Amino acid sequence: ENFDPDNEIIISEKKEKPLTDNQLLILETLKKNPNQDYSGAELANLTGLSSRTCSGCFTPLLNKNLIIKTQTKSPIRVQIKKEEA
């Protein structure tokens, strides 16, 4: 049995996960006030989600480069990333 690399190796690409409904809701809330930054608790008041849920959405949105941190110490504050002009 000879190993044929072309026949044996399957290359898989990492799939982009779509945003969840909660992440989309937070993103829309941030887009409505692009110059304002928010904590998880403030977003909870605006969206009706729990502050823990809002804060949990920060990392995926940061990883997708859709939001930025304006405060890195607790409480973390975020705002929508501005489009490059």
Side-chain angles (χ1 to χ4, degrees), residues 56-73:
C57 291
F58 290 173
T59 299
L61 294 173
L62 286 162
N63 289 344
K64 288 183 179 283
N65 215 17
L66 297 170
I67 63 173
I68 56 168
K69 282 185 188 178
T70 57
Q71 180 172 308
T72 54
K73 293 190 176 110

Side-chain angles (χ1 to χ4, degrees), residues 16-20 23-24 26-28 30-31 34 57-69 78-83:
E16 279 283 314
K17 287 186 179 176
L19 294 176
T20 66
Q23 292 165 356
L24 289 169
I26 289 169
L27 206 55
E28 285 306 310
L30 293 172
K31 281 181 183 176
C57 291
F58 290 173
T59 299
L61 294 173
L62 286 162
N63 289 344
K64 288 183 179 283
N65 215 17
L66 297 170
I67 63 173
I68 56 168
K69 282 185 188 178
V78 297
Q79 75 182 77
I80 195 80
K81 184 174 182 189
K82 306 240 182 1
E83 296 294 323

Side-chain angles (χ1 to χ4, degrees), residues 2-78:
N2 289 337
F3 176 71
D4 180 359
D6 293 331
N7 217 4
E8 302 292 330
I9 297 174
I10 297 170
I11 298 170
S12 64
E13 292 181 29
K14 188 176 179 186
K15 287 186 180 174
E16 279 283 314
K17 287 186 179 176
L19 294 176
T20 66
D21 289 345
N22 290 345
Q23 292 165 356
L24 289 169
L25 180 58
I26 289 169
L27 206 55
E28 285 306 310
T29 303
L30 293 172
K31 281 181 183 176
K32 288 177 186 170
N33 299 289
N35 297 316
Q36 177 68 42
D37 64 349
Y38 296 95
S39 67
E42 290 166 336
L43 284 167
N45 288 335
L46 293 169
T47 61
L49 302 171
S50 74
S51 58
R52 178 178 238 163
T53 297
C54 290
S55 297
C57 291
F58 290 173
T59 299
L61 294 173
L62 286 162
N63 289 344
K64 288 183 179 283
N65 215 17
L66 297 170
I67 63 173
I68 56 168
K69 282 185 188 178
T70 57
Q71 180 172 308
T72 54
K73 293 190 176 110
S74 187
I76 291 172
R77 299 183 70 79
V78 297

